[in-house]
Tab-separated table of all heavy atoms in Angstrom:
chain	number	residue	atom	x	y	z
A	79	ASP	N	103.299	58.044	160.155
A	79	ASP	CA	104.715	57.661	160.666
A	79	ASP	C	105.596	57.122	159.582
A	79	ASP	O	106.684	57.572	159.284
A	79	ASP	CB	104.599	56.711	161.804
A	79	ASP	CG	105.892	56.481	162.466
A	79	ASP	OD1	106.773	57.409	162.503
A	79	ASP	OD2	106.103	55.367	163.058
A	80	THR	N	105.051	56.058	158.937
A	80	THR	CA	105.879	55.396	157.819
A	80	THR	C	105.832	56.118	156.442
A	80	THR	O	106.845	56.021	155.750
A	80	THR	CB	105.426	54.004	157.716
A	80	THR	OG1	104.175	53.958	157.319
A	80	THR	CG2	105.673	53.215	158.959
A	81	ASP	N	104.811	56.931	156.163
A	81	ASP	CA	104.797	57.640	154.940
A	81	ASP	C	104.558	59.109	155.162
A	81	ASP	O	103.622	59.705	154.696
A	81	ASP	CB	103.571	57.101	154.123
A	81	ASP	CG	103.614	55.630	153.702
A	81	ASP	OD1	104.611	55.208	153.221
A	81	ASP	OD2	102.624	54.936	154.157
A	82	ALA	N	105.426	59.614	156.103
A	82	ALA	CA	105.270	60.985	156.662
A	82	ALA	C	105.083	62.069	155.493
A	82	ALA	O	104.309	62.922	155.626
A	82	ALA	CB	106.353	61.276	157.587
A	83	ASP	N	106.014	62.099	154.600
A	83	ASP	CA	105.992	63.099	153.587
A	83	ASP	C	104.776	63.133	152.826
A	83	ASP	O	104.066	64.267	152.610
A	83	ASP	CB	107.187	62.921	152.634
A	83	ASP	CG	108.542	63.276	153.404
A	83	ASP	OD1	108.401	63.915	154.353
A	83	ASP	OD2	109.582	62.910	152.750
A	84	GLN	N	104.238	61.966	152.255
A	84	GLN	CA	103.056	61.921	151.606
A	84	GLN	C	101.769	62.329	152.365
A	84	GLN	O	100.894	62.991	151.906
A	84	GLN	CB	102.887	60.534	150.918
A	84	GLN	CG	103.852	60.174	149.884
A	84	GLN	CD	103.791	61.125	148.710
A	84	GLN	OE1	102.738	61.521	148.256
A	84	GLN	NE2	104.955	61.428	148.208
A	85	ALA	N	101.785	61.862	153.671
A	85	ALA	CA	100.692	62.134	154.565
A	85	ALA	C	100.622	63.546	154.812
A	85	ALA	O	99.446	64.135	154.838
A	85	ALA	CB	100.777	61.284	155.871
A	86	ARG	N	101.698	64.245	155.052
A	86	ARG	CA	101.720	65.631	155.488
A	86	ARG	C	101.248	66.598	154.326
A	86	ARG	O	100.891	67.686	154.514
A	86	ARG	CB	103.062	65.987	155.945
A	86	ARG	CG	103.307	65.445	157.441
A	86	ARG	CD	104.753	65.736	157.954
A	86	ARG	NE	104.854	65.246	159.210
A	86	ARG	CZ	106.030	64.929	159.769
A	86	ARG	NH1	107.148	65.211	159.065
A	86	ARG	NH2	106.186	64.450	161.023
A	87	LYS	N	101.433	66.111	153.110
A	87	LYS	CA	100.993	66.893	151.878
A	87	LYS	C	99.468	67.079	151.934
A	87	LYS	O	98.973	67.926	151.335
A	87	LYS	CB	101.523	66.223	150.666
A	87	LYS	CG	102.936	66.452	150.250
A	87	LYS	CD	103.393	65.719	149.046
A	87	LYS	CE	104.986	65.865	148.709
A	87	LYS	NZ	105.244	65.166	147.502
A	88	MET	N	98.905	66.090	152.609
A	88	MET	CA	97.434	66.073	152.590
A	88	MET	C	96.863	67.004	153.696
A	88	MET	O	95.603	67.112	153.834
A	88	MET	CB	96.835	64.621	152.810
A	88	MET	CG	97.213	63.712	151.753
A	88	MET	SD	96.612	62.040	152.050
A	88	MET	CE	94.888	62.368	151.949
A	89	ILE	N	97.723	67.574	154.605
A	89	ILE	CA	97.233	68.252	155.696
A	89	ILE	C	97.663	69.706	155.730
A	89	ILE	O	98.644	70.121	155.406
A	89	ILE	CB	97.900	67.648	157.027
A	89	ILE	CG1	97.625	66.139	157.217
A	89	ILE	CG2	97.459	68.442	158.282
A	89	ILE	CD1	98.476	65.562	158.418
A	90	GLY	N	96.603	70.483	156.102
A	90	GLY	CA	96.762	71.954	156.383
A	90	GLY	C	96.398	72.194	157.805
A	90	GLY	O	95.487	71.834	158.249
A	91	TYR	N	97.460	72.673	158.548
A	91	TYR	CA	97.361	72.828	159.980
A	91	TYR	C	97.375	74.274	160.529
A	91	TYR	O	98.277	74.929	160.259
A	91	TYR	CB	98.515	71.956	160.596
A	91	TYR	CG	98.534	71.915	162.136
A	91	TYR	CD1	97.340	71.887	162.895
A	91	TYR	CD2	99.736	71.962	162.887
A	91	TYR	CE1	97.376	71.747	164.319
A	91	TYR	CE2	99.787	71.895	164.166
A	91	TYR	CZ	98.533	71.829	164.955
A	91	TYR	OH	98.656	71.714	166.293
A	92	LEU	N	96.336	74.632	161.331
A	92	LEU	CA	96.361	75.852	161.999
A	92	LEU	C	96.317	75.617	163.457
A	92	LEU	O	95.389	75.144	164.085
A	92	LEU	CB	94.911	76.730	161.658
A	92	LEU	CG	94.772	77.990	162.540
A	92	LEU	CD1	95.812	78.849	162.107
A	92	LEU	CD2	93.334	78.444	162.225
A	93	PRO	N	97.604	75.794	164.076
A	93	PRO	CA	97.621	75.607	165.535
A	93	PRO	C	97.011	76.744	166.253
A	93	PRO	O	96.590	77.721	165.663
A	93	PRO	CB	99.165	75.645	165.792
A	93	PRO	CG	99.754	76.217	164.602
A	93	PRO	CD	98.841	76.104	163.450
A	94	GLU	N	96.845	76.594	167.544
A	94	GLU	CA	96.132	77.551	168.422
A	94	GLU	C	96.819	78.879	168.313
A	94	GLU	O	96.049	79.987	168.193
A	94	GLU	CB	96.079	77.084	169.866
A	94	GLU	CG	95.234	78.030	170.782
A	94	GLU	CD	95.069	77.469	172.155
A	94	GLU	OE1	95.386	76.298	172.393
A	94	GLU	OE2	94.630	78.247	173.040
A	95	ASN	N	98.038	79.047	168.252
A	95	ASN	CA	98.892	80.215	167.987
A	95	ASN	C	99.504	80.136	166.559
A	95	ASN	O	100.436	79.453	166.372
A	95	ASN	CB	99.973	80.395	169.097
A	95	ASN	CG	99.367	80.551	170.373
A	95	ASN	OD1	98.517	81.403	170.651
A	95	ASN	ND2	99.751	79.671	171.303
A	96	PRO	N	98.830	80.823	165.603
A	96	PRO	CA	99.338	80.751	164.184
A	96	PRO	C	100.917	81.126	164.118
A	96	PRO	O	101.294	82.108	164.682
A	96	PRO	CB	98.496	81.738	163.438
A	96	PRO	CG	97.344	81.921	164.309
A	96	PRO	CD	97.760	81.757	165.706
A	97	PRO	N	101.561	80.323	163.305
A	97	PRO	CA	103.096	80.493	163.134
A	97	PRO	C	103.385	81.639	162.113
A	97	PRO	O	103.669	81.382	160.981
A	97	PRO	CB	103.536	79.222	162.627
A	97	PRO	CG	102.362	78.580	161.825
A	97	PRO	CD	101.118	79.205	162.561
A	98	LEU	N	103.180	83.004	162.458
A	98	LEU	CA	103.282	84.026	161.627
A	98	LEU	C	104.635	84.793	161.704
A	98	LEU	O	105.264	84.718	162.856
A	98	LEU	CB	102.110	85.026	161.910
A	98	LEU	CG	100.721	84.480	161.842
A	98	LEU	CD1	99.715	85.599	162.084
A	98	LEU	CD2	100.523	83.819	160.466
A	99	TYR	N	104.975	85.443	160.623
A	99	TYR	CA	106.142	86.299	160.780
A	99	TYR	C	105.695	87.694	160.656
A	99	TYR	O	105.301	88.259	159.578
A	99	TYR	CB	107.168	86.083	159.663
A	99	TYR	CG	107.974	84.691	159.847
A	99	TYR	CD1	107.523	83.546	159.337
A	99	TYR	CD2	109.175	84.799	160.444
A	99	TYR	CE1	108.259	82.368	159.573
A	99	TYR	CE2	109.842	83.520	160.663
A	99	TYR	CZ	109.508	82.427	160.160
A	99	TYR	OH	110.099	81.344	160.458
A	100	PRO	N	105.587	88.436	161.850
A	100	PRO	CA	104.883	89.792	161.818
A	100	PRO	C	105.509	90.914	160.979
A	100	PRO	O	104.896	91.765	160.653
A	100	PRO	CB	104.958	90.086	163.313
A	100	PRO	CG	106.139	89.285	163.921
A	100	PRO	CD	106.110	88.088	163.127
A	101	ASP	N	106.781	90.794	160.512
A	101	ASP	CA	107.417	91.832	159.771
A	101	ASP	C	107.288	91.590	158.312
A	101	ASP	O	107.620	92.451	157.493
A	101	ASP	CB	108.971	91.867	160.024
A	101	ASP	CG	109.131	92.383	161.546
A	101	ASP	OD1	108.382	93.203	162.020
A	101	ASP	OD2	110.167	91.847	162.170
A	102	MET	N	106.716	90.463	157.839
A	102	MET	CA	106.343	90.211	156.528
A	102	MET	C	104.957	90.860	156.121
A	102	MET	O	104.016	90.953	156.932
A	102	MET	CB	106.391	88.824	156.118
A	102	MET	CG	107.637	88.129	156.212
A	102	MET	SD	107.519	86.357	155.750
A	102	MET	CE	109.250	85.878	155.639
A	103	THR	N	104.734	91.030	154.800
A	103	THR	CA	103.429	91.362	154.341
A	103	THR	C	102.663	90.029	154.166
A	103	THR	O	103.303	88.985	154.216
A	103	THR	CB	103.409	92.002	152.981
A	103	THR	OG1	103.896	91.202	151.995
A	103	THR	CG2	104.236	93.370	153.034
A	104	VAL	N	101.404	90.064	154.069
A	104	VAL	CA	100.547	88.855	153.870
A	104	VAL	C	101.170	88.074	152.701
A	104	VAL	O	101.312	86.859	152.764
A	104	VAL	CB	99.059	89.153	153.725
A	104	VAL	CG1	98.274	87.902	153.388
A	104	VAL	CG2	98.556	89.755	155.057
A	105	ASP	N	101.322	88.802	151.609
A	105	ASP	CA	101.853	88.204	150.310
A	105	ASP	C	103.182	87.513	150.514
A	105	ASP	O	103.378	86.400	150.071
A	105	ASP	CB	101.900	89.239	149.262
A	105	ASP	CG	100.759	88.996	148.222
A	105	ASP	OD1	100.008	87.943	148.250
A	105	ASP	OD2	100.551	89.996	147.337
A	106	GLU	N	104.077	88.320	151.240
A	106	GLU	CA	105.353	87.703	151.396
A	106	GLU	C	105.375	86.432	152.251
A	106	GLU	O	106.003	85.471	151.871
A	106	GLU	CB	106.238	88.776	152.109
A	106	GLU	CG	106.692	90.039	151.267
A	106	GLU	CD	107.354	91.019	151.966
A	106	GLU	OE1	107.147	91.108	153.252
A	106	GLU	OE2	107.956	91.934	151.331
A	107	TYR	N	104.550	86.519	153.300
A	107	TYR	CA	104.379	85.357	154.221
A	107	TYR	C	103.899	84.080	153.398
A	107	TYR	O	104.360	82.950	153.549
A	107	TYR	CB	103.582	85.623	155.381
A	107	TYR	CG	103.266	84.521	156.245
A	107	TYR	CD1	104.358	83.868	157.035
A	107	TYR	CD2	102.037	83.964	156.420
A	107	TYR	CE1	104.041	82.756	157.730
A	107	TYR	CE2	101.791	82.869	157.183
A	107	TYR	CZ	102.764	82.236	157.868
A	107	TYR	OH	102.553	81.184	158.642
A	108	LEU	N	102.811	84.261	152.686
A	108	LEU	CA	102.231	83.218	152.009
A	108	LEU	C	103.090	82.704	150.906
A	108	LEU	O	103.161	81.497	150.630
A	108	LEU	CB	100.944	83.508	151.330
A	108	LEU	CG	99.785	83.892	152.449
A	108	LEU	CD1	98.525	84.369	151.728
A	108	LEU	CD2	99.480	82.741	153.434
A	109	GLY	N	103.872	83.506	150.258
A	109	GLY	CA	104.897	82.990	149.344
A	109	GLY	C	105.966	82.223	149.977
A	109	GLY	O	106.466	81.233	149.401
A	110	PHE	N	106.389	82.602	151.166
A	110	PHE	CA	107.257	81.847	151.956
A	110	PHE	C	106.799	80.466	152.261
A	110	PHE	O	107.488	79.404	152.041
A	110	PHE	CB	107.660	82.638	153.177
A	110	PHE	CG	108.501	81.886	154.167
A	110	PHE	CD1	109.777	81.564	153.880
A	110	PHE	CD2	107.988	81.625	155.354
A	110	PHE	CE1	110.683	80.860	154.787
A	110	PHE	CE2	108.764	80.908	156.278
A	110	PHE	CZ	110.102	80.474	156.030
A	111	VAL	N	105.563	80.455	152.699
A	111	VAL	CA	104.882	79.129	152.997
A	111	VAL	C	104.860	78.343	151.729
A	111	VAL	O	105.014	77.126	151.812
A	111	VAL	CB	103.514	79.377	153.706
A	111	VAL	CG1	102.828	78.046	153.865
A	111	VAL	CG2	103.676	80.037	154.985
A	112	TYR	N	104.503	78.909	150.704
A	112	TYR	CA	104.298	78.246	149.358
A	112	TYR	C	105.637	77.517	149.089
A	112	TYR	O	105.702	76.400	148.573
A	112	TYR	CB	104.000	79.255	148.291
A	112	TYR	CG	103.886	78.720	146.890
A	112	TYR	CD1	102.665	78.220	146.274
A	112	TYR	CD2	105.129	78.605	146.036
A	112	TYR	CE1	102.635	77.716	145.027
A	112	TYR	CE2	104.960	78.130	144.761
A	112	TYR	CZ	103.838	77.737	144.252
A	112	TYR	OH	103.745	77.251	143.038
């Protein structure tokens, strides 16, 4: 809560329904996430 930015850098989150962009290639999507 108080150090949100630093704490979230430590987390990789896979929700039950992955937040994908279906019209992108895998490389394009991962570059976007990067």
